[in-house]
Amino acid sequence: MHTPTPEQVHAADTFHAGRHLALQAGAGTGKTSTLCLLAADTQRRGRYLAFNKDIARDAAARFPSTVQCRTAHATAFAALGHRYADRLNSPRQPAWKTGQALGILRPVRIADHEISQRTLSHNVLHTVTRFCHSSDATLVRHHVPRLRGLDRPADHQQFAELVLPFAAKAWADLQRPDHGVVRFEHDHYLKMWALTGPRIEADFLFLDEAQDTNPVLEQVFIAQREHAQLVMVGDSAQAIYGWRGATDVMTGFDAKQLTLTRSFRFGPQIADEANRWLALADAPIRLTGTTGLPAEVSSVDRPDAVLCRTNIGAMTEVMRLLGEGHRVALTRGGQQLARLAFAARDLKEGHRTHHPELVLFASWGDLQDYADHDPAGRDLQPFVDLVDTHGPNAILDAVSRLTEEAHADVTVSTAHKAKGREWPTVRIGNDFPQPKDPDAGPPAAGQTPEVSDTDARLAYVAVTRARHRLDLGGLAWTAPAQPAEGG
């Protein structure tokens, strides 16, 4: 480890004084090495709760033996989930078959829409998942997902009243350790464990990636406050998973709030670009780049990675790069896009699709009309345009031609999937929001571009993946105009 910065020393001193701590760690600022510094000079027993299994494994090799490194799921499995091990290994089966076993035997009608047995079954299981991510003690209406096309509150209420009794029956089925009709998932035993009000035996707890914590884990973590010293570490500006239930628990956490702002990933130019987005996201930190690291913001002809806002934007980029003869990798997105392409092909051939996003559309024309005219469908317009331009078969062909990342010329990823990653050179894709007035030009010095808080956080994640060179690409319009030479 490098010589600790003053911020890291301050964090260690605060920790050793026994205070609860919320550590805002900007991109590349060495949060794991800082936590290792905190744990190094104490014989107290600690627990490190990691975001995923890979992070837990890497941390275990770095922390002293007094700190146990596990994911929240592994902790819950050891305490309770092991009782359900046999059910975890049960074979997969279609949602409609599970629904049938729960008593979903016929379609239902809401307003002008027929909700198929398959769709109802899928949403029952999705409701249980949303409940498992929440801190709620019982299943309630807001756990029921919204269906495209059932946009009126009364329609959703009627849908929820149909779904909730079956969801309650599914949750009761999951309580049986030996057998059941609902496939048992890891989130199920995590929720069951949380509902027991568990006590984690440790003198201190580290919670990593705290800005993306689901309410169910937040509840468990906060409940340890009376007997354990709590340390949250993360980056509120990288809180980009709100759409799947995650909440930024850091800013409201009752603890000493400290920051890590010196980035060891890149130099001052990229840090300056990151700070533009931190300001737009109203984030509590600003970054300082490491002087001497080769880093610049300029055009890149052959980037190592292209980062997009959406899966559809990523697919558009993949097809363009394949057309130019590049070997292309797509980060964890091929199968999802293939399912969308199959759904589009079904609709174009006059068949209904079972894709959960598109189940209520009877034809491709219905989907085109919805995307073009209904405000609730605007986010589907890029997908409709992609299919109308290339056709489903061309998209499926592109997915089949993808290359493993180790052998690719360029990696394409969404900013969400790029989180935690870095590349020498990065270009930002063209599907980030464009200016409302395309003829307005870049904002004047001191002028703020019109960007939502959500897009500002996503852009911050994207621009901080570059180590040496960053091409702003689709975000270039947000950069302030440079004064003319000699002006």
Side-chain angles (χ1 to χ4, degrees):
M1 179 179 173
H2 56 78
T3 302
T5 67
E7 289 177 326
Q8 290 173 319
V9 172
H10 188 193
D13 290 344
T14 302
F15 174 75
H16 293 307
R19 301 187 63 179
H20 300 301
L21 180 60
L23 192 57
Q24 292 279 357
T29 56
K31 62 174 182 175
T32 304
S33 57
T34 303
L35 292 179
C36 289
L37 180 68
L38 268 56
D41 295 326
T42 179
Q43 291 303 308
R44 295 186 298 156
R45 297 169 304 135
R47 294 280 193 101
Y48 168 85
L49 296 177
F51 192 65
N52 60 43
K53 189 185 301 183
D54 291 339
I55 293 174
R57 185 186 61 247
D58 293 344
R62 300 177 63 179
F63 277 99
S65 59
T66 51
V67 179
Q68 185 182 85
C69 302
R70 284 182 173 179
T71 64
H73 284 90
T75 304
F77 184 84
L80 181 149
H82 64 276
R83 304 174 195 168
Y84 298 85
D86 290 342
R87 288 194 65 174
L88 279 168
N89 297 322
S90 62
R92 292 186 179 275
Q93 65 177 358
W96 68 265
K97 201 167 185 179
T98 302
Q100 193 174 60
L102 292 170
I104 301 173
L105 304 176
R106 61 185 63 86
V108 296
R109 179 164 288 276
I110 298 177
D112 297 328
H113 298 286
E114 182 179 276
I115 313 297
S116 71
Q117 175 191 348
R118 187 183 300 260
T119 299
L120 188 56
S121 300
H122 172 84
N123 281 275
V124 164
L125 298 180
H126 194 189
T127 295
V128 173
T129 298
R130 286 163 60 98
F131 165 63
C132 289
H133 292 166
S134 77
S135 59
D136 300 319
T138 57
L139 282 152
V140 291
R141 187 191 305 168
H142 68 253
H143 299 137
V144 180
R146 294 188 174 272
L147 271 186
R148 288 188 184 276
L150 295 184
D151 302 314
R152 295 187 310 166
D155 292 343
H156 178 70
Q157 180 174 345
Q158 186 179 350
F159 182 57
E161 289 170 355
L162 285 168
V163 167
L164 281 172
F166 290 113
K169 193 172 181 180
W171 183 242
D173 174 89
L174 289 165
Q175 308 305 306
R176 300 202 294 264
D178 49 352
H179 70 281
V181 300
V182 181
R183 179 175 168 83
F184 199 92
E185 305 284 355
H186 294 279
D187 283 345
H188 296 148
Y189 66 72
L190 179 66
K191 179 64 174 180
M192 293 175 188
W193 173 67
L195 288 172
T196 68
R199 175 187 171 100
I200 300 176
E201 295 297 340
D203 299 315
F204 62 87
L205 291 176
F206 293 159
L207 178 63
D208 198 5
E209 298 287 351
Q211 80 283 348
D212 287 327
T213 298
N214 282 332
V216 63
L217 179 55
E218 175 194 3
Q219 182 184 51
V220 171
F221 183 79
I222 297 297
Q224 313 306 311
R225 188 183 187 98
E226 294 305 314
H227 73 274
Q229 184 182 3
L230 304 184
V231 178
M232 288 185 177
V233 61
D235 185 352
S236 291
Q238 294 191 49
I240 58 175
Y241 287 106
W243 51 274
R244 71 177 190 192
T247 56
D248 174 19
V249 302
M250 295 191 67
T251 50
F253 181 47
D254 182 15
K256 179 67 174 178
Q257 299 274 340
L258 297 180
T259 59
L260 299 178
T261 60
R262 162 86 176 276
S263 180
F264 303 98
R265 181 178 297 160
F266 41 70
Q269 278 197 38
I270 295 178
D272 289 345
E273 181 60 30
N275 288 335
R276 286 204 310 115
W277 297 102
L278 287 168
L280 288 169
D282 196 25
I285 62 171
R286 300 293 182 268
L287 297 181
T288 301
T290 297
T291 304
L293 286 180
E296 59 183 75
V297 180
S298 61
S299 62
V300 179
D301 292 331
R302 296 176 66 87
D304 296 293
V306 179
L307 305 185
C308 302
R309 181 176 180 271
T310 65
N311 282 310
I312 303 304
M315 192 69 235
T316 303
E317 190 68 33
V318 163
M319 297 187 74
R320 184 186 69 79
L321 290 165
L322 286 172
E324 293 177 358
H326 298 287
R327 294 175 298 174
V328 184
L330 178 63
T331 304
R332 302 200 316 273
Q335 292 308 308
Q336 186 174 2
L337 288 165
R339 286 194 294 270
L340 277 168
F342 281 123
R345 190 166 69 182
D346 285 343
L347 290 173
K348 278 180 163 288
E349 292 175 352
H351 308 302
R352 281 192 175 271
T353 175
H354 301 303
H355 193 287
E357 279 285 289
L358 309 176
V359 289
L360 294 187
F361 300 102
S363 68
W364 184 251
D366 285 349
L367 179 57
Q368 287 174 312
D369 185 66
Y370 178 77
D372 195 31
H373 299 296
D374 193 317
R378 285 175 184 162
D379 62 317
L380 286 174
Q381 191 65 61
F383 169 63
V384 172
D385 291 342
L386 182 71
V387 173
D388 285 342
T389 301
H390 300 283
N393 290 334
I395 297 172
L396 290 168
D397 177 66
V399 170
S400 71
R401 293 163 56 199
L402 292 171
T403 304
E404 292 291 330
E405 191 166 343
H407 306 293
D409 301 321
V410 57
T411 297
V412 177
S413 176
T414 63
H416 283 96
K417 295 184 180 78
K419 198 158 172 285
R421 302 284 306 278
E422 58 183 55
W423 292 269
T425 61
V426 169
R427 180 166 62 77
I428 306 301
N430 293 323
D431 65 331
F432 279 83
Q434 297 301 301
K436 293 180 180 178
D437 180 2
D439 300 321
Q447 184 179 353
T448 301
E450 294 185 44
V451 179
S452 72
D453 179 69
T454 298
D455 284 328
R457 290 197 302 271
L458 203 58
Y460 164 67
V461 170
V463 302
T464 54
R465 301 308 97 193
R467 292 201 307 268
H468 302 315
R469 183 177 290 183
L470 169 67
D471 184 339
L472 286 175
L475 292 173
W477 70 272
T478 66
Q482 298 297 313
E485 297 238 354

